[in-house]
Amino acid sequence: MSETQNNRKGSNTVTIEGKTLKVVPNGLNKLWSFKGNLEIPLAHVAGATLDPGFNMSGRPAFRDPGLATSGKKAGTFKFPDGDIEFWNIAQPEQPLVIQLHDEKFDRLVLGVADPRQAADAINAAIE
């Protein structure tokens, strides 16, 4: 039985299927983020938060590859502290921040239709 979180109106669709977190960029976001989807074992998810204050401002990052404009960030971003993050979010979406361990990415920063509901579903699934 799968537990599903459907956020089709945001930049991403986030679902929980069995013991896997699935993130699918919607529409052209696949092109801009250079990702068709991400599948993360729930055992590698440390937690999720709705974090309106989380942004890249003031944090220099190397885009590898991706898109970064004033209203859209999509793709892989590498930071001087060694963190690697996957971003796919557009203004005015509020960021759903998913902390990971033992994965290529240290965190995912995603735009979804209902980030509070998505964070609650992810946190309930990893308890």
Side-chain angles (χ1 to χ4, degrees), residues 3-5 7 13-16 20-23 40-50 96-100 108 110 112 114-127:
E3 183 178 339
T4 301
Q5 173 70 37
N7 295 305
T13 298
V14 176
T15 60
I16 298 168
T20 303
L21 173 69
K22 294 186 177 185
V23 177
I40 311 286
L42 286 174
H44 295 181
V45 177
T49 58
L50 163 64
L96 169 66
V97 180
I98 304 171
Q99 300 288 337
L100 305 174
L108 310 176
L110 306 171
V112 298
D114 189 342
R116 168 60 58 213
Q117 183 182 19
D120 290 347
I122 292 166
N123 289 327
I126 62 172
E127 288 183 346

Side-chain angles (χ1 to χ4, degrees), residues 34-89:
F34 291 86
K35 290 286 181 205
N37 64 51
L38 294 166
E39 293 190 8
I40 311 286
L42 286 174
H44 295 181
V45 177
T49 58
L50 163 64
D51 194 345
F54 194 89
N55 62 46
M56 199 180 291
S57 299
R59 296 171 55 205
F62 178 70
R63 189 180 45 201
D64 182 27
L67 168 75
T69 67
S70 60
K72 177 73 179 170
K73 293 191 175 29
T76 300
F77 293 86
K78 295 181 178 178
F79 293 86
D81 62 3
D83 282 357
I84 300 174
E85 299 176 358
F86 175 78
W87 285 62
N88 189 23
I89 189 165

